[in-house]
Amino acid sequence: MEEFLKHFKNHSRAEQRWLSAVFEAVQQQLLPLIDASLGLSVSRLSLAVVSKVQTAGGSDTELPVSYRFVSVSELIRDQRTACCSSLRWSSAHYREQARGAELKLPGYKALPRDNLLLIGCLCDGQTAGTSDGVWRVRDAGGSLACAMLKSSCLWLGRLMLFPSWNYIPHNAPGAGYLELLEPPVCVTLEAMAFDPGGALSEVMSVTRAAEILRQRGEDQACVCVSGRVSVVCPLLVIRGKRFFCLVLSEEGSSVPVFITEAKHQYWRQCVCVGQSVWLSSLRVCSLQGLEGRRVLMDSCQSRLHLHLQNQESSEDPDTHTDSLTADTHTADTHTADTHLRSGTVSGSGPAVRVKRSTLISFKGTVTKILNAEAGLYEIDGQVGLCLAYQPTQKWGGGLRPGAEIQLHNVHFMYRASPFAPRVVLCACLRSSLQITAFSRLSSKVEVSGSHGPLQCLLLEKNLGASQYLWLCYCQNAVAERLCPRWVRAERVCVVAERLLDFVCDAEQKTQKERNIYREMIQEPHQCPVTTFCVWWPSAALWSLRQLSDWMRREVWASLSLASLLPASSAHMTALELNAALSWSVHKVPLTDASPEPLLLLGVLELDSTRATLQLRDQTHALDCLCVSAHQSGDRTAHISTAWQGCLVCVRRCTLVMERFMKTHFPSWKHLDQPSYITHKHCRVYLQLCVDDLTIISPSAAMSRCLMEDRQTDRESAKRPRAAERPLTPAACVSLLLRLESKQGVTLQNGSAAELRLQPGFVCRAVCLGDAQRWSHDPRNHRPQERERHGDAQKIELHFMGSCVRWFPVLHPGCVYRLIARNTEDVSVLKAKGVSAKGGVTQLSSPALLLQQQWRIHTITEELPDTQSGVPALMSVSAVLHSSSAPEIVSFCGIITQRITLKEDNGTKPKIQSLTAAEDASAEQDLRVRLTVQDADCPGHVIDVYVDLSCGPYTLGLIAGAMVSVHHVQRRVSKVCNVYCRSLPISCVSVTDLTSVCSRSGVAPSPPPMMLLGEWALGRVQRCVLAQVKGHVVCVLSLRLQWTCSLCGSIFRQASCGRTHPPCDSTSAVFQAEAKVVLEDGSADSHVWFSSDTVCDLLKLNAGQWEGLQRHVRVKGHVKVYTRGRNMTCDEDPDDTLVQYLSCLCSSTAVCRQIHLTCRLRAQRTGKSQLRKVHRGQTEFICKFTPALQLQCQHIHTR
């Protein structure tokens, strides 16, 4: 060291200390790399290092004492964050460069600067036994991969100083790579021997070499070829052999050159498209993968030589930019041609447009890493780059945001996928990518394997570019919404693959087998990305949060208050109007929610608070109303418990949005003023059939069901039975039972520990045997014979708290296995009863309270001698007309109308529902009237009054739904009308989403046509709703009045007539009522007409009807009625308006033949009456059946 320091006697102490550190570093890290034959001492080598450092720093006298020498091992071990270092940058220059880089990409920060000196030997990895074609910087402590903008074969094995570089660490410990911003500076000038690898006189042109390859003679020993590089293929590894291919071109001729020698793999980093080179000692070989086509291949003596003059001229900045700009414009000019060369591929799915891509060159800046593992990047903020069809570089190769790149022979695609940029550049095995400027920004770099799961799927299935882009989109969606809660990270691509199989047909997804040699060198060029599908697959995967937000926006955006009201809205008072607006429903098919096809992906799970089945992902949960198809073709609500935990994909369903509003509109004229809406909220859920669910990943129970189905198919085909899946080892006890009845969910008193109301319900079941011990969890496996040993016992199952989640999957008549896990005590499943004393008869069955950790599984196999004792549901007709109908009935039918009843403001104490307690916006005191129609007899309808506020809200109670109503009270009104009222134990279940007629595509059946005589005598089961045709004999009464919309009093002129207390309302509605005698030859009837049908009865047009209303407003009300043969009025019979109405009611325009749809106003018609009938001078006393009392629903004009 003293000898070394003698050369720097006049330097300061700080510089002396810095020189000593350099000397020690050279001695420890660099001297072992120098060949001993050169005879370099430590002192001489240190002097050379200092000299090169001073020259690189721009000063021959000053020493960069602020820079610290760093070894490769120290850099890897200690440097945890990305950094940059440059001998030639001043602080001002660095700040300027950093500010400019951050302005280009505002979302990133510039790399921090460290003053570090890095010196090492450039090698290609052969010393480490990994000749992978990657340059490495090596010293005595280790080696580090590096990327360079330009490289030379002359640098291999030389000791180099690196003036400017970036260090990018990886997320893996002890990993990273270097980005050399400037060419390295050679520290030592060793004597070099010129070894061309062949005589210079033997250099031949590309045209001559192409002629030799076309000849079928004997292979020549070695050739030397000079030409311009037109194609640089990526480095490939096939069956453990590394190689890459160059294509040399000249005047329309080209020859492929395969570089297979391990020591020549680094040539891949030394050549680029447009460079002139010559290669020596090349062998002529026949390529077996191309049917014996002759190509050139390197040998051990081959050498690569660059034409420096051509290289320098090609690297002129102005010329280089112009040529790339021209190539970039070529992309736009070829777009039209690409669109013309298109076709259509048709399979079992929709027609798919197929277009040809165009090969272009492009220059741009990486602005975003879309998916490094998938090889997807963004260039210039608007162009996509796909590198998936090339081998993956483990450390990213410098492709970071801010890096400037140059692409050659990439495929230009326009609208390849709706989930990618409109323009996508796809690199194939013939494409090359060169970084022209490294990024100065700090960004995260993740280490990826040589082949990620997405690339493996691409290779296995030969996916096209459009399918691969959709697969990447799908993989991101699954990872974001389902991982890690339901899908493990390593299984995300498996789920994405199954979704791709679900969306794409086999013939649309799979292409021909690939031949990589043809893809690299054959003309015209053909590869998997030569063609692409235009925006296909186009199915979008919406998250459940995204769908829920869309539904909540759509439900109010589609709101039209006028459309929610009936035709008689102009005659409704404020109380009637606001009641009609309090509830409405909006249904949209999933296919109409977006222009592109939509898919929903989620896990089916049971909710313990709403007692519903939910579709969930990590963003949201949506309630689902599911029905299943029976073998007979009918729909049923029998959903198996095996669906719980299944990952499913939904393509078809109905989006249901129920609106709840509190309004105070004075009349229909104020509907355009939203200030009268005081509160509103909505419920959104899905209606679907299990047949429309595609299982992506089944639950354990569903796997068992699917396996049983496959085994059944094999047994029917006389095939050997497959081995069953091993059961989960866990001690448990089970009980086999059949459900007999199920009550509704209500709020009940909980245990002593829970001082609040809890949801709960009760089921009655029959035990099919005694409780059994198991060493494993039997789940839903076939019942064993021992499970049916024992006496059948009726028990009650009590579900409380979180156990109410089983409510949607429990159905009367089905067989279930109740399992208590982690115990061998069979007494835990023994139902306990209350002992009877003092001669008291016990009516209740033994009860069993279910625990939260217990499980229930549906048994799908039909067991012999276990026919259900569940009585068949009654029809609506039977409930209406059966004389032996019990007080508590259960029936099925189709909902035709739902009306929200007025709020109960009486003294009845209010109990908030479970959902109302959790959500302040939920509805309270919700009571509705459901009009249920007989599925077979459309004329038979019954009203069911249901209180929906005593438990979780019941989904799907909308018009058109098939429902089964259990345990409701049958009651008869004072006028003998039959209706039903819900009880706390009542249960209303939706068994089909639409009526039978509407599901088959046929319009619902109209009410039957009836004769008044048959309807009155009841010779058949009396209909409630029917069509009649007859003649209006006379008008018995006609009442016209203006009513105050707020209080219901008579409204005269412009004020309400109520005085005690006074009413200051200024809004009124016009109401009318008429009563006529209708006769059809078999009998007569009294028919009432309400406001909206009186106008049609009187045959008045719109102008006449409005004029009549104006005249009535003067008096407030007018009533005329029949007295004898004329019509009169009590107040002023001679009034002009009364006379007009009397003439109108007796005119032939009113007393005419008419066709009506009527509803029975009262079932009780009274006793028969004796009347005198005169015929001539003869008097008869006849017995007349009381006239039917009907309410007109609609007047048929045709």
Side-chain angles (χ1 to χ4, degrees), residues 1140-1156:
Y1140 168 75
L1141 293 176
S1142 300
C1143 295
L1144 179 64
C1145 293
S1146 59
S1147 65
T1148 57
V1150 176
C1151 301
R1152 68 185 186 276
Q1153 194 74 18
I1154 197 168
H1155 181 192
L1156 306 175

Side-chain angles (χ1 to χ4, degrees), residues 775-795:
S775 60
H776 52 264
D777 189 349
R779 291 196 184 96
N780 57 339
H781 282 245
R782 292 179 178 177
Q784 297 184 5
E785 189 65 29
R786 64 187 178 101
E787 293 186 80
R788 301 185 58 201
H789 290 166
D791 297 333
Q793 180 188 16
K794 291 186 177 182
I795 63 173

Side-chain angles (χ1 to χ4, degrees), residues 193-431:
F194 180 70
D195 181 16
L200 294 179
S201 59
E202 298 178 359
V203 176
M204 64 178 63
S205 64
V206 174
T207 304
R208 174 59 183 159
E211 293 177 356
I212 293 176
L213 294 182
R214 286 193 295 268
Q215 296 175 0
R216 290 298 179 182
E218 296 182 359
D219 296 343
Q220 298 201 12
C222 288
V223 297
C224 184
V225 181
S226 174
R228 180 177 176 273
V229 179
S230 60
V231 175
V232 181
C233 299
L235 188 67
L236 301 178
V237 181
I238 304 297
R239 298 175 183 175
K241 183 72 172 178
R242 296 180 182 270
F243 70 95
F244 72 95
C245 177
L246 300 174
V247 177
L248 303 180
S249 301
E250 181 186 55
E251 298 179 356
S253 300
S254 63
V255 291
V257 181
F258 283 83
I259 309 300
T260 60
E261 292 293 331
K263 63 180 183 179
H264 297 154
Q265 300 302 312
Y266 73 96
W267 290 358
R268 173 66 180 76
Q269 310 299 326
C270 298
V271 296
C272 60
V273 175
Q275 196 173 33
S276 295
V277 300
W278 61 274
L279 298 166
S280 62
S281 300
L282 299 177
R283 297 177 292 124
V284 179
C285 302
S286 297
L287 195 61
Q288 189 175 10
L290 277 178
E291 300 175 354
R293 176 174 174 176
R294 291 153 63 87
V295 297
L296 296 179
M297 189 174 297
D298 69 331
S299 62
C300 296
Q301 295 79 23
S302 298
R303 299 292 182 269
L304 171 66
H305 303 276
L306 306 179
H307 290 188
L308 298 180
Q309 294 181 354
N310 293 341
Q311 181 180 356
E312 292 173 357
S313 62
S314 64
E315 292 174 358
D316 181 75
D318 298 334
T319 308
H320 191 56
T321 304
D322 293 342
S323 63
L324 287 173
T325 305
D327 288 336
T328 305
H329 289 315
T330 306
D332 298 332
T333 58
H334 282 296
T335 302
D337 297 338
T338 304
H339 292 183
L340 291 176
R341 296 191 296 269
S342 62
T344 302
V345 175
S346 60
S348 58
V352 179
R353 295 181 60 194
V354 179
K355 294 182 180 179
R356 292 187 62 86
S357 58
T358 304
L359 287 175
I360 67 167
S361 296
F362 191 85
K363 183 178 72 173
T365 302
V366 178
T367 53
K368 188 177 181 181
I369 300 177
L370 301 177
N371 190 334
E373 181 185 3
L376 299 180
Y377 302 85
E378 183 186 77
I379 307 175
D380 297 337
Q382 56 185 355
V383 178
L385 174 62
C386 178
L387 301 179
Y389 292 86
Q390 288 193 344
T392 305
Q393 297 186 17
K394 296 182 180 180
W395 38 270
L399 286 176
R400 298 186 300 109
E404 298 178 6
I405 62 173
Q406 178 178 327
L407 301 167
H408 292 282
N409 299 317
V410 291
H411 293 262
F412 175 90
M413 300 179 181
Y414 183 72
R415 298 173 62 187
S417 174
F419 310 105
R422 281 183 173 265
V423 176
V424 175
L425 303 179
C426 191
C428 65
L429 296 182
R430 195 179 176 90
S431 308

Side-chain angles (χ1 to χ4, degrees), residues 561 577 665-674 676 1045 1066-1067:
L561 296 177
L577 182 73
F665 287 102
S667 68
W668 63 275
K669 296 181 179 180
H670 300 81
L671 293 178
D672 58 344
Q673 303 178 25
Y676 289 104
S1045 62
T1066 59
S1067 60

Side-chain angles (χ1 to χ4, degrees), residues 148-225:
M148 294 178 284
L149 302 179
K150 300 175 184 178
S151 58
S152 172
C153 301
L154 304 179
W155 295 347
L156 184 64
R158 305 285 294 277
L159 188 62
M160 295 289 188
L161 166 67
F162 305 102
S164 301
W165 49 270
N166 299 334
Y167 175 68
I168 310 298
H170 287 167
N171 54 348
Y177 75 97
L178 288 171
E179 296 175 348
L180 303 184
L181 305 179
E182 297 180 7
V185 177
C186 184
V187 176
T188 59
L189 297 176
E190 297 90 348
M192 298 182 58
F194 180 70
D195 181 16
L200 294 179
S201 59
E202 298 178 359
V203 176
M204 64 178 63
S205 64
V206 174
T207 304
R208 174 59 183 159
E211 293 177 356
I212 293 176
L213 294 182
R214 286 193 295 268
Q215 296 175 0
R216 290 298 179 182
E218 296 182 359
D219 296 343
Q220 298 201 12
C222 288
V223 297
C224 184
V225 181

